[in-house]
């Protein structure tokens, strides 16, 4: 929805100094350790420019010397690696019934996590809780190098024709969420929908690493879709791309929105109608292991609905793969995916595929929260030209 403004342009007419710093950091992060000459060759910068940038980054604590590497003739070259604790990212997921917060280092390792139950997800309540949780996290971890906060919420953002869905957050559609959250957290903030954040997490530290294009089906409160195209997040005009939960799919001789059949809240409602409560992943997993008949019936219906959804995603976006993950227990999600019939009438049905068409990705209650932190990490390592500022 909104991005931290990139640093102002430097004096270089073609590339700003901030761009070049990010370029060097991204290279070192991708390779693990590099020398000045290697970075210069692969980035197109001069060796002197790289030397100056590295000197600054070492002085600021972003890079550390990790020894010398002999490369043929000449003196061994000093190698530099990223200090994963040089900057920390705060990840926040706001759901209608819960608030989840995590702090991760630059390698995506979780240093702190916390879940708070919400009976009121209105902006004032959420912001006050976030102030308290951030203070608790800093006290517990000494996380004094927070570089930003990623906040994820169920979409769509703003008042749209889809407003009023079960996954909506009350009071947020008319709110200036960026300003409100930035003030509450006293940090630069990126806001994104939960499915897009989950896709970013898969790209940074999950099954999407190394893939140019993939789609991420995310099971949050509803069902969302995050799409990575050429290593960039596809967002749409208002940050609302991927509202796949609202597409109509066949169901028992009629058509219904996908998330009314295959989402967590659809399963929760079915279970509640028989007196079963399953608000947590652990409770859902217990019911699955016990082969609860209502849950097993839901699996069959949800599998058929997702078959149509996956076909739509494949033919619209031509992804390398579709990754499904989110706040479902992994055994339950794998059982659901095993019931998805992959159509022959798909552009994804081709010889010589390097990846399966549908795979199980990251599961668990912190999936989107980790994705929120990944938004900040990705932003920190994405070079931006002065013209983009």
């Amino acid at each position: 929805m909104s991005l931290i403004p990139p640093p102002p342009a430097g004096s270089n007419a073609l590339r700003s100094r901030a761009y070049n710093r990010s370029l060097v950091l991204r290279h070192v992060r991708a390779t693990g350790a590099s020398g000045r000459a290697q970075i210069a060759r692969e980035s197109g910068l001069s060796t002197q420019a790289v030397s100056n940038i590295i000197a600054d980054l070492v002085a600021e604590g972003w890079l550390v010397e990790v020894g010398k590497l002999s490369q043929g003739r000449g003196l061994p070259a000093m190698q530099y690696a990223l200090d994963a604790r040089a900057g920390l990212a705060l990840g926040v997921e706001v759901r209608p019934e819960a608030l989840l917060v995590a702090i991760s280092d630059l390698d995506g390792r979780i240093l702190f996590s916390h879940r708070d139950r919400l009976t009121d997800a209105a902006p004032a309540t959420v912001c006050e809780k976030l102030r308290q949780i951030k203070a608790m996290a800093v006290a517990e971890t000494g996380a004094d190098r927070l570089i930003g906060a990623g906040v994820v919420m169920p979409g769509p953002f703003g008042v749209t024709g889809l407003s009023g869905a079960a996954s909506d957050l009350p009071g947020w559609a008319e709110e200036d969420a960026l300003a409100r959250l930035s003030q509450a957290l006293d940090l630069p903030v990126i806001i994104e929908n939960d499915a897009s954040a989950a896709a970013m997490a898969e790209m940074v530290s999950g099954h999407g690493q190394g893939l140019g294009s993939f789609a991420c089906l995310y099971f949050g409160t509803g069902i969302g879709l995050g799409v990575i195209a050429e290593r960039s997040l596809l967002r749409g005009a208002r940050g609302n791309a991927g509202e796949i939960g609202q597409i109509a799919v066949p169901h028992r001789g009629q058509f219904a929105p996908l998330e009314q059949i295959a989402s967590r809240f659809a399963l929760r409602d079915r279970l509640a109608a028989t007196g079963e409560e399953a608000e947590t992943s652990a409770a859902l997993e217990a019911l699955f292991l016990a082969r609860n008949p209502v849950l097993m019936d839901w699996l069959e219906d949800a599998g058929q609905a997702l078959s149509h959804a996956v076909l739509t995603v494949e033919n619209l976006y031509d992804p390398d793969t579709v990754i499904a993950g989110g706040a479902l227990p992994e055994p339950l999600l794998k059982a659901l995916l095993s019931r998805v019939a992959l159509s022959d009438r798909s552009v994804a049905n081709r010889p010589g595929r390097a990846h399966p068409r549908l795979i199980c990705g990251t599961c668990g209650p912190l999936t989107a929260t980790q994705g929120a932190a990944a938004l900040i990490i990705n932003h920190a390592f994405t070079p931006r030209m002065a013209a983009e500022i």
Side-chain angles (χ1 to χ4, degrees):
M1 182 176 179
S2 300
L3 291 178
I4 303 169
S11 58
N12 189 315
L14 293 178
R15 290 175 176 162
S16 70
R17 184 167 178 78
Y19 177 96
N20 292 341
R21 282 168 56 95
S22 293
L23 197 64
V24 170
L25 280 170
R26 182 179 67 169
H27 176 87
V28 174
R29 183 170 184 263
T31 58
S34 296
R36 293 182 178 92
Q38 180 186 356
I39 297 171
R41 284 195 305 270
E42 298 187 13
S43 67
L45 299 173
S46 70
T47 303
Q48 185 58 53
V50 169
S51 295
N52 293 338
I53 292 170
I54 285 178
D56 289 344
L57 292 172
V58 169
E60 295 167 16
W62 287 92
L63 298 182
V64 293
E65 296 179 350
V66 292
K68 295 184 177 182
L69 177 66
S70 180
Q71 296 176 315
R73 296 179 180 178
L75 295 174
M78 179 61 71
Q79 302 293 293
Y80 298 90
L82 182 71
D83 182 350
R85 293 293 297 264
L88 304 176
L90 184 69
V92 176
E93 181 182 5
V94 186
R95 299 180 189 167
E97 78 291 346
L99 183 63
L100 296 92
V101 179
I103 290 177
S104 78
D105 66 14
L106 297 177
D107 286 336
R109 289 186 291 261
I110 298 299
L111 309 178
F112 168 89
S113 64
H114 180 81
R115 186 184 192 277
D116 227 22
R117 185 172 178 81
L118 289 177
T119 55
D120 173 15
T125 303
V126 168
C127 287
E128 181 56 34
K129 282 184 175 290
L130 283 177
R131 289 189 195 96
Q132 297 170 6
I133 297 170
K134 180 194 170 189
M136 176 175 64
V138 170
E140 286 188 18
T141 65
D144 58 351
R145 299 202 65 174
L146 288 170
I147 59 174
V151 180
V152 300
M153 302 173 170
F157 294 129
V159 179
T160 75
L162 300 181
S163 297
S167 57
D168 278 2
L169 294 175
W172 286 91
E174 301 84 6
E175 182 76 22
D176 184 348
L178 182 65
R180 190 75 180 264
L181 290 164
S182 298
Q183 181 181 35
L185 292 167
D186 191 26
L187 288 170
V189 169
I190 297 174
I191 300 177
E192 196 53 84
N193 69 59
D194 47 12
S196 292
M200 188 62 68
E202 292 289 354
M203 186 177 77
V204 170
S205 57
H207 293 284
Q209 292 182 85
L211 297 182
S213 300
F214 66 90
C216 181
L217 275 170
Y218 177 71
F219 291 83
T221 303
I223 299 177
L225 179 72
V227 177
I228 299 294
E230 297 180 355
R231 304 294 292 168
S232 295
L233 189 61
L234 182 64
R235 303 188 66 258
R238 301 289 182 274
N240 288 324
E243 283 296 324
I244 196 169
Q246 302 303 317
I247 68 167
V249 295
H251 178 59
R252 298 184 180 181
Q254 300 180 329
F255 284 86
L258 174 67
E259 67 179 26
Q260 287 188 14
I261 306 165
S263 65
R264 285 178 70 241
F265 75 74
L267 173 55
R268 178 199 63 198
D269 289 350
R270 280 204 195 188
L271 290 168
T274 64
E276 289 280 4
E277 288 191 8
E279 296 294 335
T280 67
S281 292
L284 283 176
E285 184 168 359
L287 289 175
F288 171 67
L289 294 175
R291 296 298 187 265
N292 175 276
V294 175
L295 187 148
M296 301 309 290
D297 185 54
W298 172 82
L299 275 175
E300 297 303 325
D301 285 347
Q304 292 177 26
L306 282 176
S307 300
H308 293 277
V310 170
L311 176 62
T312 299
V313 170
E314 289 180 334
N315 284 336
L316 278 178
Y317 300 111
D318 188 24
D320 287 324
T321 188
V322 177
I323 303 172
L328 283 178
E330 186 172 350
L332 178 58
L333 181 58
K334 287 183 174 179
L336 175 57
L337 298 187
S338 72
R339 289 164 169 78
V340 173
L342 298 175
S343 174
D344 292 338
R345 300 288 297 173
S346 169
V347 297
N349 181 27
R350 59 181 184 272
R353 288 189 58 88
H355 308 283
R357 287 169 61 181
L358 178 64
I359 60 176
C360 183
T362 306
C363 301
L366 285 177
T367 301
T369 316
Q370 289 178 265
L375 292 168
I376 297 297
I377 296 169
N378 183 68
H379 190 272
F381 293 104
T382 301
R384 286 175 171 78
M385 297 299 290
E388 297 179 69
I389 297 171

